[in-house]
Amino acid sequence: GVAGGDYDFDASNTTEMSNQLNSKRAEQEKLTKTINKKVMGMIEKAEGEYTELLRKRQVVENDKKKIQRVIGELDVKKKTELQRTWMKVTKDFGSIFSTLLPGASAKLEPPEGLEAWEGLEV
Protein backbone atom coordinates (compact mmCIF):
# COMPACT_ATOMS: atom_id res chain seq x y z
CA GLY A 1 0.00 0.00 0.00
CA VAL A 2 0.85 3.69 -0.09
CA ALA A 3 3.07 4.93 2.73
CA GLY A 4 0.92 6.51 5.46
CA GLY A 5 -2.30 5.17 3.88
CA ASP A 6 -4.90 2.74 5.20
CA TYR A 7 -3.09 -0.20 3.64
CA ASP A 8 0.43 0.68 4.83
CA PHE A 9 0.94 -2.51 6.84
CA ASP A 10 4.60 -1.75 7.54
CA ALA A 11 3.66 1.29 9.66
CA SER A 12 0.85 -0.44 11.58
CA ASN A 13 1.23 -2.63 14.63
CA THR A 14 -0.62 -5.84 13.79
CA THR A 15 -0.35 -7.19 17.33
CA GLU A 16 -2.02 -4.10 18.77
CA MET A 17 -4.72 -4.22 16.08
CA SER A 18 -5.30 -7.90 16.79
CA ASN A 19 -5.71 -7.12 20.49
CA GLN A 20 -8.16 -4.31 19.68
CA LEU A 21 -10.13 -6.65 17.41
CA ASN A 22 -10.33 -9.32 20.13
CA SER A 23 -11.39 -6.66 22.67
CA LYS A 24 -14.15 -5.38 20.37
CA ARG A 25 -15.38 -8.91 19.65
CA ALA A 26 -15.55 -9.65 23.39
CA GLU A 27 -17.45 -6.39 23.96
CA GLN A 28 -19.86 -7.23 21.13
CA GLU A 29 -20.41 -10.72 22.54
CA LYS A 30 -21.14 -9.22 25.96
CA LEU A 31 -23.60 -6.69 24.50
CA THR A 32 -25.30 -9.37 22.41
CA LYS A 33 -26.30 -11.09 25.62
CA THR A 34 -27.83 -7.91 27.08
CA ILE A 35 -29.31 -6.23 23.97
CA ASN A 36 -32.06 -7.89 21.99
CA LYS A 37 -31.44 -7.04 18.32
CA LYS A 38 -35.04 -7.80 17.43
CA VAL A 39 -36.27 -5.25 19.97
CA MET A 40 -33.81 -2.66 18.68
CA GLY A 41 -35.19 -3.18 15.18
CA MET A 42 -38.73 -2.81 16.51
CA ILE A 43 -37.77 0.42 18.30
CA GLU A 44 -36.27 1.86 15.12
CA LYS A 45 -39.38 0.89 13.17
CA ALA A 46 -41.67 2.45 15.80
CA GLU A 47 -39.62 5.65 15.81
CA GLY A 48 -39.91 5.82 12.02
CA GLU A 49 -43.67 5.30 12.17
CA TYR A 50 -43.96 7.97 14.88
CA THR A 51 -42.04 10.46 12.75
CA GLU A 52 -44.25 9.66 9.75
CA LEU A 53 -47.39 10.11 11.85
CA LEU A 54 -46.18 13.50 13.08
CA ARG A 55 -45.59 14.55 9.47
CA LYS A 56 -49.06 13.37 8.45
CA ARG A 57 -50.60 15.15 11.45
CA GLN A 58 -49.00 18.42 10.34
CA VAL A 59 -50.39 17.93 6.82
CA VAL A 60 -53.88 17.30 8.22
CA GLU A 61 -53.69 20.37 10.48
CA ASN A 62 -52.61 22.55 7.53
CA ASP A 63 -55.45 21.16 5.40
CA LYS A 64 -57.91 21.82 8.23
CA LYS A 65 -56.83 25.48 8.40
CA LYS A 66 -57.23 25.84 4.64
CA ILE A 67 -60.70 24.26 4.74
CA GLN A 68 -61.79 26.53 7.59
CA ARG A 69 -60.55 29.58 5.66
CA VAL A 70 -62.47 28.50 2.53
CA ILE A 71 -65.63 27.88 4.60
CA GLY A 72 -65.33 31.39 6.03
CA GLU A 73 -64.94 32.87 2.55
CA LEU A 74 -67.95 30.90 1.29
CA ASP A 75 -70.06 32.07 4.25
CA VAL A 76 -69.28 35.69 3.39
CA LYS A 77 -70.20 35.09 -0.27
CA LYS A 78 -73.39 33.27 0.78
CA LYS A 79 -74.51 36.12 3.01
CA THR A 80 -73.73 38.71 0.33
CA GLU A 81 -75.69 36.79 -2.31
CA LEU A 82 -78.63 36.17 0.05
CA GLN A 83 -78.72 39.89 0.88
CA ARG A 84 -78.66 40.81 -2.83
CA THR A 85 -81.36 38.25 -3.66
CA TRP A 86 -83.54 39.37 -0.75
CA MET A 87 -83.40 42.99 -1.91
CA LYS A 88 -84.43 42.00 -5.47
CA VAL A 89 -87.19 39.62 -4.34
CA THR A 90 -88.66 42.10 -1.86
CA LYS A 91 -88.71 44.81 -4.57
CA ASP A 92 -90.43 42.49 -7.05
CA PHE A 93 -92.79 41.16 -4.37
CA GLY A 94 -93.83 44.70 -3.43
CA SER A 95 -94.37 45.61 -7.08
CA ILE A 96 -96.56 42.53 -7.72
CA PHE A 97 -98.52 43.06 -4.50
CA SER A 98 -99.24 46.74 -5.28
CA THR A 99 -100.29 45.81 -8.84
CA LEU A 100 -102.76 43.21 -7.57
CA LEU A 101 -104.03 45.41 -4.72
CA PRO A 102 -103.69 49.08 -5.67
CA GLY A 103 -102.79 51.27 -2.73
CA ALA A 104 -101.40 48.36 -0.74
CA SER A 105 -97.75 47.53 -0.18
CA ALA A 106 -95.81 44.56 1.08
CA LYS A 107 -92.20 43.65 1.62
CA LEU A 108 -90.11 40.86 3.02
CA GLU A 109 -88.25 41.67 6.22
CA PRO A 110 -86.16 39.59 8.60
CA PRO A 111 -87.76 39.04 12.01
CA GLU A 112 -86.63 41.43 14.73
CA GLY A 113 -83.11 40.67 15.91
CA LEU A 114 -82.33 38.38 12.96
CA GLU A 115 -80.55 38.83 9.65
CA ALA A 116 -81.97 38.21 6.17
CA TRP A 117 -80.11 34.90 5.81
CA GLU A 118 -81.67 33.65 9.05
CA GLY A 119 -85.24 34.00 7.73
CA LEU A 120 -87.77 36.46 6.28
CA GLU A 121 -91.38 37.29 6.91
CA VAL A 122 -94.05 39.41 5.11
Side-chain angles (χ1 to χ4, degrees), residues 36-61:
N36 187 342
K37 289 181 184 178
K38 195 182 248 186
V39 171
M40 291 303 293
M42 291 170 61
I43 288 173
E44 289 175 8
K45 181 180 176 186
E47 287 173 346
E49 290 173 357
Y50 177 74
T51 303
E52 181 66 16
L53 286 173
L54 288 178
R55 186 191 65 75
K56 287 180 180 180
R57 178 181 179 190
Q58 188 62 43
V59 168
V60 168
E61 287 175 353

Side-chain angles (χ1 to χ4, degrees), residues 31 61 76:
L31 289 175
E61 287 175 353
V76 169

